[in-house]
Amino acid sequence: MTSLGGIIGSGWLYGSWKGAFMAGPAADLSWLIGGIAVLLIGLVYAELGGALPEAGAIVRYPQFSHGTFVSYIMGWGALIAYASVPPIEAEAAVQFMGYYWPAVYSTHTASLTTVGLLMSVVFMLLFFFINYFGIRFLGQFNQWITVWKFVIPTLTFLLIFVFASHGSNFGGLPGGVAPMGIAPMFGAISTTGIIFSYLGFRQALDYGGEAAHPQRDIPRATIYSVVTGIVLYTLLQVAFTLGLNWHALGLAPGAWAKLSTTGAITDAPFYLVLKSAGVGLLGAFGTVLLIDAFVSPTGTGYIYLGTSARTVYGLSSVGYLPKWFQSISERYRIPWIALLASLVVGCLFFAPLPSWYTLVGLITGATALTYIMGGVGLQVLRKTAGGMHRPYRLGSAQILSPLGFLAAVLIVYWSGFAPLVTIFAAVFVALPVFAWYYAPRRGWLQPTQGYVLGAVFLVVWVITQRWGLYVLTAPGTITPAQHPAFALFFIVQLAEVAGFTAVLAALCNEQGRKAVHSTWWFIFLIFGTMLIAYLGPFGPQTTPTLVFPLDVVVEVIIGLVAFYWAVGSGYSTEEIQDIVSANRGVVPEESEGSAPSAPTDHPAPGLV
């Protein structure tokens, strides 16, 4: 229920509309392809989650397979991705309010007003208190909310199918099934909220440390939630396409692109489709959708705020953040300081990204970037911890692991050049903290060396990003001509990151050097993807150098090279050796009908 509750949020309220104006009827295939891609990723994590139930699991698995440097980078990326989801859900709820309360949302700027931002903060506080009262309260509360969140979209597509279908919307209008072409169908997967809508499957992984039967239930929850989401969301997109009444919307039949600017439909897409049908029952049900516009985003927002808190807890538990982030509330048994930090960081996203649409591509790319470790980690841990008990063992893993990896890589690529530049800049800006804090604490290098290396990199990295004008600038204020030559910008960034990594490896002792050297494949993948994103159809060039499908072929080649390089770079880390030797972190399954070995509320996340 937690994974399904994470999946069903604001995505269905806005994603179907965005998919329709970007890809036309082909958006139905976008949802299906995107769901299959996430399922491939989920299958890989089902084995890892069953074998190693951990709080903040996405942060921990890279540490087990590649050591702390890769884990640190992935953990920082996960924190960016997780912490930004609660604010996007709060924005979704408030943006929906703009349909009948214009004071909260400006259609002119396509962003929340000051009043809207204040209302979003109120939603964030609500998410905080739902989490604060503990995992038992959260679980019981979430069950009822998730039932509602499943029933309402199900009734929505059923009512449209029965009472408001326009069959000609599929293939019978100008342009046919794919009026915008094939490339936008794939671009819609990452940029319209499609992948964003599926990403909640990971909740079972990140809450796994607090499950009563994690080895049994984590794989089931991971797979069942994604399959359910694929069916539900694909049917909703079909229903939205069928339900479009072009005359009532004041548009010519087949004017898909104009859906992006058609008045109130940008605020409440499904509500307008139901209302424009002219059927009394559908109009009445539209009122229920206005209620659901609060329930669905709220249900996903509080789940993700809890996930963000457990990610902070996980980063602290492995030494990347101070230990006081592991402080547990004595009464409610939750990491309350980590939860409070997640609330504060989440609210900071309102300032530069004050709308649902500006956040969704960024979140999708950042989250998918952390998922690349699933297929790699599975293959490495089968070599380094082959004897570890695996309640769920993925069949045909030699094929499915690289497929899951490539699925995550393509999702990152399809996010588009602009979000990727921001994501990569945000991920690598955290490198100095590793040199300042973690590496000296582990005794890998002298503190003075770490301070100097981190400070030099931070200064040149910030200067480079400011010079590139892709980040640290107000949206819409820079023209393409103002950017420096991309080739030079690309080479400078690559030199800075590669230089930092090489110097860090040279300064570290043997243990640290091994962890740092296991990261080179990731740097290759990041910069290879950035280059293809610039040259391909999702980049800023008016005429792409790499046209579809050549761009996808090249990206797949880069991904395969990175995958097998990453598998070869993995090693038997100290952390996985400790787990295997002490059987720590593995919860034995109980016999059928026996009493649970621990109460529902465990002493602390991850301590099982």
Side-chain angles (χ1 to χ4, degrees):
M1 297 296 275
T2 305
S3 283
L4 189 60
I7 287 175
I8 307 174
S10 61
W12 81 274
L13 293 169
Y14 293 107
S16 296
W17 159 67
K18 288 201 74 178
F21 78 69
M22 184 170 181
D28 305 309
L29 291 175
S30 301
W31 284 95
L32 188 59
I33 295 169
I36 293 172
V38 172
L39 182 59
L40 289 171
I41 299 170
L43 286 170
V44 172
Y45 276 107
E47 176 174 323
L48 294 174
L52 293 164
E54 297 278 349
I58 300 297
V59 177
R60 303 302 302 277
Y61 297 150
Q63 184 188 33
F64 298 150
S65 64
H66 284 77
T68 50
F69 193 47
V70 172
S71 173
Y72 172 80
I73 295 172
M74 291 297 175
W76 185 259
L79 183 59
I80 295 171
Y82 288 11
S84 55
V85 174
I88 196 177
E89 297 296 346
E91 287 182 344
V94 175
Q95 187 169 322
F96 219 99
M97 293 169 60
Y99 177 73
Y100 52 87
W101 188 15
V104 300
Y105 183 76
S106 170
T107 55
H108 177 68
T109 61
S111 62
L112 300 181
T113 64
T114 301
V115 176
L117 290 173
L118 291 175
M119 286 297 301
S120 297
V121 172
V122 171
F123 273 94
M124 290 289 290
L125 291 171
L126 174 63
F127 302 162
F128 173 84
F129 284 110
I130 292 174
N131 275 275
Y132 184 78
F133 293 117
I135 190 65
R136 176 175 292 170
F137 172 79
L138 176 66
Q140 294 172 347
F141 182 81
N142 180 64
Q143 289 183 28
W144 294 106
I145 294 295
T146 302
V147 169
W148 165 279
K149 290 167 63 176
F150 180 77
V151 168
I152 297 305
T154 300
L155 289 175
T156 300
F157 72 70
L158 286 175
L159 288 172
I160 292 176
F161 283 161
V162 174
F163 295 105
S165 291
H166 300 86
S168 62
N169 287 348
F170 270 104
L173 299 176
V177 175
M180 283 76 169
I182 301 298
M185 180 183 76
F186 287 99
I189 292 174
S190 288
T191 59
T192 64
I194 290 175
I195 290 296
F196 168 75
S197 301
Y198 288 122
L199 296 180
F201 81 88
R202 67 181 183 249
Q203 307 307 327
L205 300 169
D206 286 315
Y207 284 89
E210 294 150 280
H213 306 277
Q215 291 184 304
R216 179 195 68 192
D217 292 338
I218 291 175
R220 293 179 181 178
T222 302
I223 296 170
Y224 294 168
S225 62
V226 176
V227 172
T228 302
I230 291 173
V231 174
L232 180 64
Y233 280 131
T234 302
L235 289 174
L236 279 166
Q237 182 66 55
V238 172
F240 185 85
T241 304
L242 287 173
L244 286 171
N245 186 332
W246 299 99
H247 176 73
L249 294 173
L251 296 174
W256 301 99
K258 292 187 177 181
L259 289 172
S260 62
T261 57
T262 305
I265 197 169
T266 62
D267 298 329
F270 268 101
Y271 175 75
L272 262 295
V273 167
L274 291 169
K275 188 176 179 181
S276 65
V279 178
L281 175 63
L282 299 190
F285 184 75
T287 304
V288 178
L289 285 190
L290 294 178
I291 299 173
D292 184 68
F294 296 99
V295 176
S296 285
T298 299
T300 301
Y302 65 68
I303 290 174
Y304 268 93
L305 189 66
T307 304
S308 177
R310 283 152 181 81
T311 301
V312 173
Y313 178 95
L315 290 170
S316 175
S317 67
V318 295
Y320 302 149
L321 293 174
K323 286 187 175 181
W324 40 269
F325 282 108
Q326 299 175 52
S327 299
I328 304 296
S329 165
E330 292 186 7
R331 181 173 181 181
Y332 296 113
R333 316 308 304 166
I334 55 99
W336 71 274
I337 293 183
L339 183 64
L340 182 62
S342 299
L343 170 67
V344 174
V345 172
C347 288
L348 294 177
F349 280 93
F350 290 134
L353 300 167
S355 75
W356 192 91
Y357 312 113
T358 53
L359 264 173
V360 69
L362 180 70
I363 293 172
T364 298
T367 306
L369 185 63
T370 66
Y371 286 164
I372 64 175
M373 291 304 301
V376 171
L378 186 146
Q379 291 298 313
V380 172
L381 292 177
R382 283 198 176 183
K383 293 188 299 182
T384 60
M388 186 170 58
H389 176 54
R390 290 168 168 81
Y392 171 79
R393 188 176 182 88
L394 180 64
S396 303
Q398 294 294 332
I399 298 174
L400 292 177
S401 291
L403 285 179
F405 180 88
L406 289 175
V409 167
L410 287 174
I411 291 169
V412 172
Y413 168 66
W414 288 328
S415 297
F417 176 75
L420 290 186
V421 173
T422 303
I423 293 166
F424 297 160
V427 168
F428 288 129
V429 79
L431 293 182
V433 179
F434 188 87
W436 293 335
Y437 182 74
Y438 184 80
R441 287 183 69 247
R442 290 291 298 266
W444 289 1
L445 50 68
Q446 296 297 320
T448 302
Q449 295 174 326
Y451 297 149
V452 173
L453 175 62
V456 170
F457 177 83
L458 181 62
V459 170
V460 297
W461 187 251
V462 171
I463 291 174
T464 299
Q465 299 308 317
R466 180 60 183 170
W467 165 62
L469 297 176
Y470 290 105
V471 298
L472 302 178
T473 56
T477 60
I478 304 298
T479 64
Q482 292 176 281
H483 294 291
F486 175 74
L488 181 60
F489 178 65
F490 177 84
I491 292 171
V492 169
Q493 288 187 103
L494 177 57
E496 290 170 0
V497 174
F500 174 91
T501 306
V503 173
L504 179 64
L507 294 175
C508 282
N509 60 19
E510 184 178 354
Q511 181 187 14
R513 193 174 301 118
K514 191 173 186 179
V516 174
H517 279 317
S518 70
T519 313
W520 287 109
W521 66 270
F522 178 74
I523 295 173
F524 165 78
L525 176 65
I526 289 293
F527 283 95
T529 300
M530 180 189 294
L531 180 60
I532 303 305
Y534 179 85
L535 298 175
F538 308 115
Q541 297 185 106
T542 305
T543 303
T545 304
L546 293 175
V547 296
F548 179 85
L550 181 59
D551 63 315
V552 174
V553 172
V554 176
E555 182 65 22
V556 166
I557 293 172
I558 290 174
L560 286 174
V561 171
F563 175 80
Y564 290 107
W565 187 355
V567 172
S569 299
Y571 62 99
S572 181
T573 63
E574 290 184 12
E575 291 78 15
I576 198 64
Q577 290 176 17
D578 291 342
I579 288 175
V580 171
S581 61
N583 203 32
R584 179 171 54 84
V586 179
V587 183
E589 287 296 297
E590 296 148 358
S591 59
E592 191 69 28
S594 63
S597 59
T600 304
D601 285 342
H602 287 290
L607 296 189
V608 294

